Amino acid sequence: MIVSIIFSLMLNSFLPVLYPSFSRMQHDLPRLVESFHKTIRIIMALALPMGLGLFVMGQDIAGVLFGNKWQGLGFVLSILGLKEGLTWVVGINPETYRAMGRPDVNTKLMIVQILYFIPAYLLVPNMDYGHSFM
């Protein structure tokens, strides 16, 4: 939740504004594409450094906030920070598709993701990593 809160505080304010703004431009595709690219550059300028910062500083942040009781939490914060930073790069795509009148595109992309994630979720718990976390 810490990682989500950090990114939400910085970036969630974009989302309620994007859909109505992009919707007004849905019939002017060049203008919509230009606005989309500008928005992505702003989000990338914020999200990628935040994600990389959490990736690099995850161990230190976990140590300061939680102490030594939570061994391994720094690794989790690092990975989740990097993931969240990268996720925000494509995070406005669903809003853009909806504004263009094409919410079906996002649904189709989610179906492709499910085809990847289901086998991954079934395989990973059965892998032998050579050690136990418990």
Side-chain angles (χ1 to χ4, degrees):
M1 291 304 295
I2 290 171
V3 173
S4 294
I5 290 169
I6 291 169
F7 280 88
S8 294
L9 288 172
M10 293 297 294
L11 299 169
N12 268 357
S13 59
F14 281 99
L15 295 179
V17 175
L18 289 178
Y19 178 68
S21 299
F22 286 173
S23 291
R24 285 192 291 274
M25 296 179 241
Q26 68 178 283
H27 299 296
D28 186 358
L29 193 56
R31 187 171 161 225
L32 175 60
V33 169
E34 181 184 339
S35 294
F36 174 79
H37 287 145
K38 284 180 183 177
T39 305
I40 285 293
R41 282 193 293 272
I42 293 168
I43 289 173
M44 285 175 59
L46 296 169
L48 292 179
M50 288 168 48
L52 288 173
L54 283 169
F55 181 72
V56 171
M57 300 297 294
Q59 291 285 25
D60 296 328
I61 293 169
V64 169
L65 294 178
F66 300 101
N68 293 330
K69 290 184 188 179
W70 291 83
Q71 293 294 325
L73 183 62
F75 175 75
V76 173
L77 282 176
S78 294
I79 297 302
L80 289 177
L82 185 60
K83 180 219 56 106
E84 195 73 20
L86 294 172
T87 299
W88 268 96
V89 173
V90 295
I92 68 167
N93 290 356
E95 297 298 317
T96 308
Y97 295 135
R98 275 187 342 130
M100 294 171 61
R102 294 292 314 271
D104 61 300
V105 172
N106 194 54
T107 303
K108 291 172 185 171
L109 290 171
M110 295 303 248
I111 289 170
V112 171
Q113 286 180 350
I114 288 172
L115 295 174
Y116 165 79
F117 283 120
I118 289 176
Y121 287 137
L122 293 173
L123 287 174
V124 170
N126 296 321
M127 296 177 79
D128 181 18
Y129 295 104
H131 63 279
S132 174
F133 291 104
M134 296 288 178

